[in-house]
Amino acid sequence: MAGEAQDDCLFCKIVGGKIPATVVRETETTVAFRDINPQAPTHVLVIPKVHHPDAVSLAVAEPAILADVVREAGEVAADEKLDSYRIVFNTGSGAGQTVFHAHAHVLGGRGMQWPPG
Ligand code: 5GP
Ligand code: ZN
């Protein structure tokens, strides 16, 4: 059922404590942890504890939790003292999504180019 933990999902395993992660923030509905392969001095992933395959699916099913994810992204940026930062939701494999459990990348601490690659 939508929202339920998936046995084969890496991020559900992190939520469940079955795979370790460097957690920087946690709320009732979200977990934020450092990306294992950082692309910037700050690279933190904010995920909902519930399983949805991408950010849009989360927005449709549980919009308040998507708002929690985005608010937590801002709290991560504040904790890391970032004036400017990027919040990225890669959606679909062609856009670089590799883990199909909704997550926001919070990237900062270096200059950012536009358009993105
Ligand atoms: P995506 O490519 O789906 O937008 O982002 C998935 C992110 O998860 C990647 O940036 C990747 O480095 C990160 N990642 C993959 N496996 C792990 C892991 O086991 N632990 C952590 N902390 N990050 C991971
Ligand atoms: Zn999951």
Side-chain angles (χ1 to χ4, degrees), residues 4-6 9-13 49-52 100-102:
E4 286 189 1
Q6 306 288 302
C9 172
L10 178 65
F11 287 175
C12 284
K13 288 180 186 162
K49 289 183 174 175
V50 288
H51 179 93
H52 293 280
F100 290 84
H101 178 129

